[in-house]
Amino acid sequence: MKRGTVNANRVIIMTLRLGSLFSIIFMIAGMTMFLLSSDSTEQVYQSLGLQQILVGLMTIDSVSLMTAGILILLMTPLLRVLGAGLSFLLLEKDPAYALISLGVLTILIFSLLVPQL
Amino acid sequence: MILFYLFVTGIFAGSFGALLGLGGGFIIIPALTILFGMPIHTAIGISLVGVIATSTGAAIVYVRDSKADIRLGMLLELGTTVGAVLGAVIAGFISPRALYFLFAFMMGYNAYSMYKKKEEPSQKEKTAVEELPYDVKNIPAGISISGLAGIMSGLLGIGGGIIKIPAMYIIMGVPLKVATATSNFMVGVTAAASAFVYYFNGNIDPVYASPIALGIFVGVMAGTRANARISPNSLKKIFVVIFIYIAIQMMVKGFWG
């Protein structure tokens, strides 16, 4: 593989590692808090809205912490596509695949908006 | 206690999923619906989180991921992600019963696919094959099949790797190891496309999803060492049996609810 590709891969993987780390920390923190509290696991928890999560994080609510962890995890593939796209564009000078990556990224971002339609 | 069992389920899903280039959905969904008795739509949401965990986990743990053909993956993902969003949207309108049957059918195909999978080549052959450059053929067919894999992903909460790997390997002429590594990359992107739809529809239970995701990270890391001890062919046979068993169970669930 070309030097540029290898370096780009390293950066992407480092970003994924960082993202995964944050995700894991939030999830463990949330789970620990959940176990310590007497919340029942019988209850079905719905995913919280973003505003609720931000409020929840400030009050260190267990479910908000776990949800934040999951949302970060859900972001990691997006980061990967973004990273690959930038790598194609800037490092490998491959505009065709940069465009394809942009296409995939657009579809992913669109998926965020679909439920609002 | 249930959280611990979910964690263990995650470990299994992560270790086998990453090894086979799958997302682990085939282990998570039957476990959640049959063992834990969850409604299938909830199970699917959680499974999608699991597939992403497997994909990202495999990326940061497995050095072999450098074999992934990112260009091919990205191209095929144009098809898969569209399919995934469609599948996720339609899923809300499909009855749980239909989903059970569909899943059972996929499991049957899974078993068949595993059964027909070629034996791992010997060590010497392996290195020779990996170095060969390959030409990617039948791209439009590949994208269409990827679209189908995407719809399955959105409907059933699987990664779609079980469709993509044979598509790449058999139809597009990609070496198996490259197909597997590329699939590891692709399933994460595909699942992300459906996951957000499920999330904003309130279908991802964070309390159950977290232990699964954590288990998966552990499974992906521990998986290589554990799986190296078992011969790939016995592994294959075990999986064929397990998949058939799950297919039957899911059909039963479809009939009896």
Side-chain angles (χ1 to χ4, degrees):
Chain A
M1 266 191 270
K2 290 194 288 203
R3 202 65 189 298
T5 320
V6 173
N7 286 335
N9 274 342
R10 285 220 183 100
V11 171
I12 296 174
I13 290 182
M14 290 256 314
T15 317
L16 289 181
R17 285 206 169 127
L18 207 65
S20 306
L21 190 65
F22 274 113
S23 168
I24 292 172
I25 290 174
F26 273 107
M27 286 195 281
I28 292 180
M31 262 183 65
T32 316
M33 288 218 53
F34 185 84
L35 290 167
L36 291 175
S37 81
S38 49
D39 286 335
S40 148
T41 46
E42 292 304 313
Q43 215 180 323
V44 172
Y45 292 88
Q46 281 216 316
S47 19
L48 303 168
L50 290 172
Q51 281 177 319
Q52 287 171 290
I53 298 176
L54 285 171
V55 172
L57 284 176
M58 288 193 285
T59 52
I60 316 190
D61 165 57
S62 64
V63 177
S64 301
L65 284 168
M66 287 191 271
T67 312
I70 290 171
L71 283 176
I72 297 173
L73 181 61
L74 258 45
M75 286 287 166
T76 53
L78 267 111
L79 287 173
R80 232 170 148 185
V81 174
L82 183 65
L86 288 173
S87 155
F88 287 135
L89 184 67
L90 302 170
L91 293 167
E92 299 187 52
K93 316 279 194 228
D94 194 343
Y97 278 93
L99 212 59
I100 292 175
S101 309
L102 182 65
V104 175
L105 197 61
T106 310
I107 297 169
L108 288 172
I109 293 176
F110 177 72
S111 80
L112 286 165
L113 307 169
V114 163
Q116 265 80 300
L117 290 174
Chain B
M1 207 48 211
I2 190 177
L3 296 182
F4 178 71
Y5 292 133
L6 288 169
F7 181 70
V8 172
T9 309
I11 296 180
F12 276 112
S15 59
F16 292 119
L19 190 75
L20 299 168
L22 310 177
F26 281 113
I27 296 175
I28 298 173
I29 300 217
L32 291 178
T33 51
I34 298 173
L35 293 177
F36 297 97
M38 284 186 208
I40 195 163
H41 284 103
T42 314
I44 292 172
I46 297 172
S47 175
L48 287 171
V49 175
V51 171
I52 294 174
T54 308
S55 173
T56 301
I60 63 183
V61 169
Y62 282 73
V63 178
R64 71 148 76 156
D65 223 59
S66 59
K67 291 209 186 74
D69 188 338
I70 303 288
R71 280 180 170 78
L72 177 63
M74 203 64 82
L75 183 63
L76 295 177
E77 278 301 310
L78 280 176
T80 345
T81 44
V82 171
V85 175
L86 273 172
V89 169
I90 300 172
F93 301 109
I94 299 198
S95 81
R97 197 166 247 221
L99 291 176
Y100 281 119
F101 285 133
L102 191 59
F103 195 88
F105 172 74
M106 280 303 298
M107 281 313 270
Y109 167 74
N110 228 355
Y112 172 74
S113 198
M114 272 265 129
Y115 180 69
K116 304 256 6 185
K117 192 171 164 184
K118 279 195 197 169
E119 308 207 341
E120 292 275 305
S122 68
Q123 269 307 115
K124 275 191 235 164
E125 284 174 46
K126 257 185 198 169
T127 11
V129 168
E130 274 152 30
E131 301 307 304
L132 283 179
Y134 53 89
D135 260 331
V136 181
K137 305 176 276 203
N138 295 323
I139 292 181
I143 297 184
S144 313
I145 295 178
S146 299
L148 182 67
I151 296 177
M152 287 296 140
S153 172
L155 279 178
L156 300 175
I158 57 176
I162 197 64
I163 300 176
K164 294 171 196 169
I165 295 181
M168 281 189 272
Y169 176 52
I170 297 171
I171 299 177
M172 302 184 81
V174 176
L176 187 59
K177 291 234 140 176
V178 177
T180 306
T182 309
S183 173
N184 257 333
F185 160 65
M186 290 175 69
V187 294
V189 183
T190 311
S194 348
F196 285 115
V197 179
Y198 275 84
Y199 174 78
F200 285 112
N201 282 330
N203 278 326
I204 297 186
D205 183 330
V207 179
Y208 289 162
S210 296
I212 292 223
L214 291 171
I216 286 178
F217 276 114
V218 172
V220 174
M221 286 188 266
T224 359
R225 270 159 258 156
N227 286 327
R229 303 247 190 97
I230 313 173
S231 96
N233 287 319
S234 351
L235 209 59
K236 200 175 76 162
K237 287 178 196 156
I238 296 173
F239 269 113
V240 173
V241 172
I242 293 178
F243 288 159
I244 293 178
Y245 175 72
I246 292 176
I248 296 173
Q249 289 282 56
M250 291 303 261
M251 259 207 302
V252 167
K253 255 221 167 245
F255 277 120
W256 301 112

